[in-house]
Amino acid sequence: MDMNPNQFLEQAVIALDDIQLQTALERGTGNADSRRRAAMAELADPDAIRWQGRAARLRGLDDLPDLLEQAERQIIARGGKVLWAADADEANRHVLNICREHNLRRGVKSKSMATEEIGLLPFLNQHGIEMVETDLGEYIVQLSGSHPSHIIMPVMHMTKEQIRDLFMEKLAMPYTDDPTGMTAWARKTLREEYLRADFGISGGNFIIAETGSVVIVTNEGNGRLCTTVPPVHIAVVGIEKVIPTWEDFATLLQLLCRSGTGQRMSVYVNAFNGPAMPGEPDGPEHFYLILLDNGRSDIYASEYAEALACIRCGACLNICPVYRSVGGHAYGATYTGPIGAVITPLLKGKANAAPLPFASSLCGACQEACPVGINLPGMLLKLRRDLQAAQDPLWQMGMKAFGFGMSHPLLYNVGSRLAGAALQSLGEDAGSDMVSSLPYPLSGWTDHRDFPVFPAERFRDWWQKNRR
Ligand code: SF4
């Protein structure tokens, strides 16, 4: 499956016609958003905790370089190794070198967007290292040869029936429509993989600087198995994930669980500080933390730094009218929805993801849902400004003319009267108060929905008559 953000429009049109995808999205996003609202409403003062969480993330970003060094010192003191990766290639090569050093041939992986971002699994496969995803959603994605379509629910794009058919084909599962039975079948298959694995790979939801702990928050227990059963554990984590203290973590954990899955608390919260210490019966013999930059330093130094405060809860995806209509694959990128529309152009280069900042109605629902209050609509607007030069010249001219007209009252008056008269005439011809076909370039609107005829009397005229 191709991943190209610049094909957003083409992919969105395909997605809108896909009945199964539409069914899956309606169920998936609707349920997730209701659960989030209910879980947040249980808090005595949801806004207070959101602001507390935001403050924790911004404090972490303010001191980012110092906190990363503090975490590094702590991990080294506990016998772990820390490797810095400037980009995807360096991160992948670090993992490969570790595999070669310890003669690792087969690995298991828990859910991680950072490894998805750098294309780690295809890279390792190319070098003869076999990897198995162990998060159920990611495992389904791997079996189907696809990509995750949601930060938290990687198979948001699939219906239960599609997953059943996939398991029957790839895992020889006997027919069942029961989700518990399907999960049990996958779990039985995966259980063997942990025992056969030479190493485990994880991401990290947070790095806590004061103790140098990498924390993962999961619901399936696969993360714990991946990181403790095999003799080598490699964690690949973005540099922005560092936070100062466990106290900050206590706040952010509540927000992540409630906003991500609508739970008061995830089933598993695991923290790793390094390899197993002498006398400890469990844990890996070797622990590596790869700190991934891959464009984050550039974002940090820009006016978009706030985007790095994201805790990857997925709430903005579930509420976004665009994501809810087209799903994640249309974005052609690892990070989708409103946060993806902001960070994909920043990570990949704006020209390589030019349509994404425009994939928003700017309704503001994403910022309202965001547990750390990231100003996503504001950043989408700034990206649109930055991308103006890449726009169709005709569009640019049109917008300039529109802006000029809107800022000159006489032109606005004449223009709005002419537009009203033209729409009324089109409506009369169609015998309706909705116009279903407008000439180019306005046809972009009526290709997908009707346009309402303006009332015969303009609001300004009514106001002057009645409220003078
Ligand atoms: S931007 Fe906010 S709502 Fe969206 S994934 Fe990040 S933290 Fe969650």
Side-chain angles (χ1 to χ4, degrees):
M1 190 185 142
D2 275 355
M3 295 271 280
N4 183 351
N6 277 341
Q7 284 175 357
F8 176 81
L9 283 177
E10 295 85 334
Q11 293 303 321
V13 170
I14 294 169
L16 288 168
D17 281 340
D18 184 334
I19 306 276
Q20 282 190 319
L21 174 65
Q22 293 300 320
T23 310
L25 286 173
E26 196 181 321
R27 275 187 211 156
T29 54
N31 289 342
D33 190 51
S34 320
R35 284 199 303 266
R36 173 189 66 84
R37 286 173 194 271
M40 289 300 288
E42 280 182 354
L43 294 166
D45 190 345
D47 282 338
I49 193 162
R50 283 178 73 210
W51 286 110
Q52 208 176 319
R54 178 177 170 81
R57 284 303 287 128
L58 296 183
R59 211 167 44 246
L61 290 176
D62 274 350
D63 296 334
L64 190 64
D66 291 344
L67 293 175
L68 285 168
E69 284 175 11
Q70 187 184 359
E72 182 184 32
R73 283 194 300 274
Q74 297 282 359
I75 290 170
I76 292 171
R78 297 262 313 177
K81 291 198 177 133
V82 178
L83 302 164
W84 299 76
D87 56 22
D89 188 50
E90 193 176 1
N92 287 338
R93 299 229 157 254
H94 280 323
V95 178
L96 185 61
N97 292 339
I98 298 167
C99 290
R100 288 184 174 152
E101 187 184 330
H102 297 280
N103 195 25
L104 312 173
R105 312 295 309 165
R106 191 176 175 84
V108 281
K109 183 180 149 287
S110 73
K111 189 170 172 309
S112 147
M113 296 308 284
T115 54
E116 191 69 35
E117 174 189 330
I118 59 176
L120 179 63
L121 262 55
F123 175 84
L124 290 178
N125 287 341
Q126 274 168 19
H127 290 83
I129 295 163
E130 228 177 300
M131 292 298 302
V132 179
E133 295 278 8
T134 60
D135 171 87
L136 183 59
E138 298 275 0
Y139 184 50
I140 295 167
V141 166
Q142 189 178 33
L143 287 176
S144 65
S146 177
H147 293 282
S149 62
H150 189 283
I151 295 174
I152 294 282
M153 291 160 275
V155 281
M156 172 73 85
H157 57 286
M158 289 177 84
T159 59
K160 182 184 77 178
E161 293 72 23
Q162 287 173 306
I163 296 169
R164 173 201 64 203
D165 294 346
L166 182 74
F167 280 9
M168 288 173 69
E169 185 198 331
K170 302 274 180 169
L171 303 180
M173 182 186 76
Y175 181 93
T176 176
D177 261 338
D178 171 29
T180 314
M182 288 158 60
T183 307
W185 191 266
R187 177 175 292 171
K188 194 170 75 135
T189 316
L190 282 172
R191 191 57 59 148
E192 300 298 316
E193 300 293 347
Y194 301 111
L195 303 173
R196 291 168 60 198
D198 303 322
F199 69 110
I201 291 191
S202 75
N205 292 90
F206 300 100
I207 301 171
I208 296 154
E210 64 179 348
T211 52
S213 309
V214 178
V215 181
I216 60 170
V217 181
T218 66
N219 272 319
E220 297 171 17
N222 66 308
R224 182 171 290 180
L225 287 167
C226 277
T227 53
T228 53
V229 176
V232 179
H233 171 203
I234 307 167
V236 182
V237 188
I239 53 171
E240 81 281 17
K241 294 289 184 75
V242 70
I243 55 172
T245 63
W246 281 97
E247 203 177 338
D248 293 326
F249 173 73
T251 306
L252 292 165
L253 180 64
Q254 291 191 58
L255 290 170
L256 176 61
C257 300
R258 287 175 189 266
S259 304
T261 49
Q263 293 168 287
R264 289 177 187 153
M265 178 60 64
S266 286
V267 182
Y268 297 92
V269 177
N270 299 312
F272 321 102
N273 294 59
M277 300 300 271
E280 284 181 355
D282 300 315
E285 292 160 31
H286 305 278
F287 172 78
Y288 294 89
L289 170 63
I290 297 176
L291 287 167
L292 177 71
D293 186 322
N294 204 29
R296 287 161 174 79
S297 292
D298 293 336
I299 300 179
Y300 187 62
S302 75
E303 59 184 321
Y304 300 101
E306 188 190 343
L308 296 175
C310 173
I311 57 170
R312 306 273 188 269
C313 71
C316 58
L317 281 63
N318 301 329
I319 195 131
C320 172
V322 176
Y323 181 92
R324 289 170 78 124
S325 302
V326 302
H329 287 158
Y331 290 78
T334 304
Y335 304 105
T336 60
I339 184 65
V342 169
I343 59 173
T344 304
L346 299 174
L347 291 174
K348 283 181 172 285
K350 289 175 195 146
N352 298 322
L356 298 192
F358 297 88
S360 167
S361 63
L362 299 177
C363 64
C366 49
Q367 187 178 7
E368 260 176 46
C370 178
V372 288
I374 297 176
N375 185 0
L376 293 161
M379 283 190 275
L380 289 169
L381 269 174
K382 283 183 189 162
L383 282 165
R384 289 183 185 188
R385 175 206 61 199
D386 295 351
L387 280 159
Q388 239 174 10
Q391 286 293 299
D392 177 355
L394 192 61
W395 175 263
Q396 284 185 49
M397 264 167 45
M399 291 314 284
K400 272 195 189 132
F402 181 71
F404 188 78
M406 292 297 279
S407 50
H408 291 78
L410 180 65
L411 280 176
Y412 174 82
N413 261 322
V414 174
S416 61
R417 277 181 209 288
L418 286 175
L423 280 168
Q424 271 155 30
S425 142
L426 285 168
E428 272 164 26
D429 289 350
S432 165
D433 57 0
M434 296 297 279
V435 177
S436 57
S437 171
L438 285 171
Y440 181 81
L442 303 174
S443 54
W445 179 282
T446 48
D447 280 349
H448 300 285
R449 55 251 193 252
D450 294 343
F451 193 88
V453 172
F454 293 165
E457 185 175 32
R458 298 181 321 151
F459 175 74
R460 289 168 72 92
D461 298 335
W462 177 90
W463 183 267
Q464 286 199 335
K465 234 190 280 164
N466 295 287
R467 294 283 188 276
R468 180 168 278 265

